[in-house]
Amino acid sequence: AQKITQTQPGMFVQEKEAVTLDCTYDTSDQSYGLFWYKQPSSGEMIFLIYQGSYDEQNATEGRYSLNFQKARKSANLVISASQLGDSAMYFCAMSATGANNLFFGTGTRLTVIP
Amino acid sequence: NAGVTQTPKFQVLKTGQSMTLQCAQDMNHNSMYWYRQDPGMGLRLIYYSASEGTTDKGEVPNGYNVSRLNKREFSLRLESAAPSQTSVYFCASSVYRGGMNTEAFFGQGTRLTVV
């Protein structure tokens, strides 16, 4: 079975600073994918970034990067140069070979302070 | 560029009423999902469909039925709504690649209240 754990219910960051949102996962599969989604107060789920378990380099998408540490089973999201519009809920998720589901963590609420 | 479209956006039902949530995607994805989101619990899978005509139960299927009539559309039906089904419902779709589902794209969500 797959499991995603996000231990930070809420985080605060100063505008223009970087912030790391933690995500650990558990799976017995060798092939899996890790994702991060953003959910602003308007409610939609926005895909941010993807990391495959066999990808050797950490994924990056603009100001988002995924710090993938396979041995530690962690997939932390790093947001650089935080903006007020980054204030939202952030969800970590994973998929695995043969699994019919995307497994989601419980989310971290990020608040960017001006 | 519609992506995933689900309707309605808001709905209030009385206990015992029925309704169908509609979802359509135009990205030619094979996999489609219905999730519910409750405070503090993240997203939980209700049903999954790997392709037209196939559906599988997820984590919380009780009280729901689904239908995947074609590749584009995946509907969720509540036959007899209960207050415990008050939630935000999301439809999503994804590409199945390399033996697993890849990043999912979500509809706007349906906020359902059962009174």
Side-chain angles (χ1 to χ4, degrees), chain B residues 15-71:
Chain B
T15 298
Q17 285 186 319
S18 62
M19 78 162 295
T20 300
L21 282 65
Q22 305 286 353
C23 176
Q25 53 94 7
D26 62 3
M27 295 176 285
N28 202 35
H29 288 167
N30 291 319
S31 302
M32 294 189 74
Y33 315 77
W34 277 105
Y35 285 93
R36 61 178 286 173
Q37 183 180 24
D38 301 294
M41 302 191 73
L43 278 76
R44 293 181 295 168
L45 183 69
I46 305 171
Y47 270 94
Y48 165 77
S49 172
S51 62
E52 176 184 342
T54 67
T55 60
D56 289 300
K57 293 179 180 179
E59 185 182 354
V60 288
N62 291 344
Y64 306 96
N65 286 302
V66 291
S67 178
R68 181 88 181 268
L69 294 177
N70 53 57
K71 193 171 188 178

Side-chain angles (χ1 to χ4, degrees), chain A residues 14-91:
Chain A
Q14 205 74 38
E15 194 178 5
K16 300 180 184 176
E17 298 292 314
V19 63
T20 298
L21 307 183
D22 293 342
C23 173
T24 57
Y25 62 91
D26 190 21
T27 181
S28 56
D29 287 288
Q30 297 300 307
S31 180
Y32 50 89
L34 295 155
F35 314 86
W36 278 92
Y37 289 85
K38 173 184 179 181
Q39 187 177 41
S41 58
S42 53
E44 70 266 34
M45 295 287 288
I46 303 168
F47 166 72
L48 295 178
I49 196 166
Y50 166 77
Q51 178 85 40
S53 59
Y54 290 113
D55 294 340
E56 294 186 352
Q57 294 206 339
N58 288 341
T60 60
E61 288 287 347
R63 294 186 299 109
Y64 304 108
S65 60
L66 199 153
N67 185 358
F68 181 45
Q69 298 190 37
K70 197 169 184 176
R72 293 185 176 184
K73 293 190 173 180
S74 73
N76 299 338
L77 178 70
V78 180
I79 305 174
S80 62
S82 296
Q83 302 172 356
L84 296 178
D86 294 334
S87 292
M89 282 289 286
Y90 289 82
F91 291 95

Side-chain angles (χ1 to χ4, degrees), chain B residues 77-90:
Chain B
R77 182 160 178 85
L78 287 70
E79 291 291 351
S80 179
S84 60
Q85 294 178 305
T86 294
S87 187
V88 179
Y89 292 85
F90 286 98

